[in-house]
Amino acid sequence: MWFVMALFLFAVSGVQAQDAKAGAVLDAMSEKYKAMKSFTADFSYNEVSASGRSGRVRTGSIAVKGVKFKLNMVGQEIYNNGSEIYSFVKETNEVNVTTYDSSEDSQFSPANIYTIYKKGYQYKLVGEKSIAGKAHEVVELVPLKKGSNVSKLVLTVEKGSKTIKNWKITDSSGKSTVFNISKFGANAVLTDSFFSFNSSKHPGVEIVDLR
């Protein structure tokens, strides 16, 4: 759930002078994603303690089409079909159903990580680095709201493709969660039904309707 929870924590606001170079990197990245009809990505993620100790590396995947998305993480699947959100927990064979609120989309949807920087963050370009022989630009974002549970977010963007390679979320206690994109596909062919939970594929599933 870290991927989704992290996005919930980013709901802050404020206005402050920004680093123009960092803004250019973020704007180019944002336009790249917005131009796609859909995309898919496989990723790995792990927690790192304040002392630098790394936890177990886990894997996940996400598929996005407009506001619709399907997120797979260890033990859980989350579907947004544009009307409802289904959160399925494999261990308990239970799915919670809530209403999707489009007015909250910019804050709460993992489909929009590429626009979240536009409100509530001070950002700056902190450097460049090479990953697998390709140049990447690193941008640090710090919440403007004091007392936020997130102390900073670091995005690494491939310079050529303008796509996100990895990001690191650090909370107020100094603990971080690091996400790395291992595979990315733009404009994948995804039917609308792909983003709906199919109860027939999960015999005996308990449906908890919270709408």
Side-chain angles (χ1 to χ4, degrees):
M1 283 294 291
W2 252 104
F3 188 100
V4 177
M5 290 173 64
L7 297 181
F8 272 76
L9 295 173
F10 294 160
V12 296
S13 61
V15 178
Q16 192 168 331
Q18 300 285 18
D19 179 340
K21 291 182 178 179
V25 172
L26 294 170
D27 287 343
M29 177 270 295
S30 180
E31 290 303 314
K32 175 79 174 186
Y33 281 95
K34 287 194 292 183
M36 298 176 190
K37 293 181 180 180
S38 63
F39 66 85
T40 59
D42 295 337
F43 58 90
S44 62
Y45 61 101
N46 68 293
E47 293 186 357
V48 181
S49 69
S51 64
R53 182 177 180 181
S54 294
R56 178 181 175 185
V57 176
R58 302 177 183 272
T59 59
S61 64
I62 188 169
V64 176
K65 179 182 177 182
V67 299
K68 300 180 179 70
F69 66 84
K70 178 183 177 182
L71 175 66
N72 292 321
M73 298 184 75
V74 174
Q76 187 171 33
E77 298 175 358
I78 300 174
Y79 300 77
N80 178 352
N81 63 14
S83 300
E84 296 88 24
I85 296 177
Y86 293 79
S87 299
F88 174 62
V89 179
K90 297 179 182 179
E91 183 179 2
T92 59
N93 200 28
E94 178 181 290
V95 62
N96 290 338
V97 188
T98 56
T99 300
Y100 167 63
D101 186 351
S102 61
S103 68
E104 297 178 345
D105 182 62
S106 63
Q107 296 176 3
F108 300 152
S109 173
N112 287 339
I113 189 172
Y114 48 85
T115 59
I116 211 162
Y117 72 93
K118 292 187 176 182
K119 184 179 180 181
Y121 284 88
Q122 176 72 19
Y123 46 76
K124 64 180 179 180
L125 186 67
V126 294
E128 294 189 13
K129 63 181 178 180
S130 178
I131 301 176
K134 295 182 179 180
H136 291 72
E137 295 170 301
V138 183
V139 179
E140 181 181 274
L141 299 92
V142 176
L144 295 173
K145 183 178 180 180
K146 294 182 179 179
S148 173
N149 289 325
V150 173
S151 64
K152 67 178 177 180
L153 167 66
V154 178
L155 287 175
T156 301
V157 180
E158 187 179 327
K159 201 169 184 178
S161 68
K162 309 301 181 186
T163 56
I164 298 172
K165 179 61 179 177
N166 59 54
W167 65 99
K168 179 179 181 181
I169 302 161
T170 303
D171 67 19
S172 56
S173 72
K175 183 177 68 177
S176 300
T177 303
V178 182
F179 296 85
N180 286 284
I181 301 296
S182 57
K183 184 179 179 181
F184 183 85
N187 299 314
V189 178
L190 302 169
T191 64
D192 289 342
S193 62
F194 179 80
F195 301 97
S196 293
F197 179 77
N198 188 342
S199 59
S200 66
K201 293 183 178 180
H202 305 278
V205 65
E206 180 181 356
I207 301 175
V208 181
D209 196 333
L210 303 175
R211 290 172 290 184

